[in-house]
Amino acid sequence: MPTRNSRAVVFLACILLPLLAVAFSGGCVGYTLGTSLPKGITSIYIPTFVNKCEKPQVEIEATRAAIEEFQKDGTLEITSEEYAKSVVEVTLLKYKLETIRFNQDQNKTAMEYRQSITASIVFRRQRTDETLSKRTVTGESTFIVSGDLPTQERLALPATCKNLAHYIVSGVVEYW
């Protein structure tokens, strides 16, 4: 015969467990596994980015970084233009180098810089030219000057392009 305590435990379990389940699942409402891309978008063509900023040759590094990031993400297969279901067109709009920290002893000597690249992204269906998403994103990185500035700036470019590529891939794969 069940005791009074065991009935109380069963009662509490029947009432509290569903309430706790509802309370803790609130953060998951609307979350889905997989991609939020439209049906049929399984592959992508990535042409060389268009460079409209004042930094020469940056489009090569940025395009390479984006291809690597799409490969790492794995949501879309990278294919040639003729077989792709979608295309991402990226235009590099602005390159910026700004001082963020000065040498303590010499107030006019820059010690740390932030390098940033702003780009516009147009993600569209390849066959119909339907625009699926348009965004502007900025990738950045920081570096400390330990030699001449042009060399340090050039060495920081891959990290900046990798950060930009992350936002490009997010802007495409997390389509809304």
Side-chain angles (χ1 to χ4, degrees):
M1 176 148 212
T3 66
R4 191 180 212 165
N5 286 341
S6 64
R7 278 187 273 167
V9 169
V10 169
F11 174 76
L12 286 174
C14 290
I15 298 295
L16 287 179
L17 285 178
L19 287 174
L20 287 172
V22 169
F24 287 113
S25 68
C28 300
V29 173
Y31 182 79
T32 57
L33 292 175
T35 180
S36 61
L37 290 168
K39 266 197 183 322
I41 302 294
T42 56
S43 59
I44 191 166
Y45 170 62
I46 307 166
T48 302
F49 296 172
V50 175
N51 185 358
K52 290 192 176 177
C53 63
E54 69 277 359
K55 190 74 173 165
Q57 304 294 314
V58 71
E59 73 277 7
I60 296 165
E61 183 68 35
T63 304
R64 184 195 59 71
I67 289 169
E68 286 178 7
E69 193 71 19
F70 273 106
Q71 288 171 332
K72 188 170 82 174
D73 176 81
T75 303
L76 293 167
E77 177 187 4
I78 299 171
T79 63
S80 64
E81 186 173 14
E82 70 179 292
Y83 297 112
K85 304 284 186 192
S86 64
V87 63
V88 62
E89 295 166 341
V90 179
T91 303
L92 304 177
L93 302 171
K94 183 178 179 183
Y95 174 87
K96 188 175 180 183
L97 186 65
E98 62 183 321
T99 306
I100 58 174
R101 188 166 45 130
F102 289 92
N103 188 326
Q104 244 178 338
D105 299 332
Q106 301 167 346
N107 286 345
K108 293 184 181 184
T109 304
M111 187 174 169
E112 188 173 7
Y113 287 88
R114 176 180 295 117
Q115 182 181 64
S116 64
I117 301 171
T118 301
S120 73
I121 308 166
V122 178
F123 178 52
R124 61 178 177 80
R125 285 187 190 272
Q126 178 68 341
R127 304 287 181 244
T128 64
D129 244 9
E130 171 194 1
T131 298
L132 300 171
S133 175
K134 267 186 172 182
R135 296 181 186 201
T136 301
V137 296
T138 300
E140 62 182 35
S141 68
T142 61
F143 63 94
I144 295 173
V145 179
S146 60
D148 67 301
L149 181 59
T151 299
Q152 297 299 310
E153 187 178 358
R154 189 179 73 251
L155 292 173
L157 190 60
T160 304
C161 289
K162 184 176 180 171
N163 186 255
L164 176 66
H166 171 77
Y167 289 112
I168 290 169
V169 172
S170 293
V172 168
V173 174
E174 295 171 8
Y175 159 89
W176 336 1

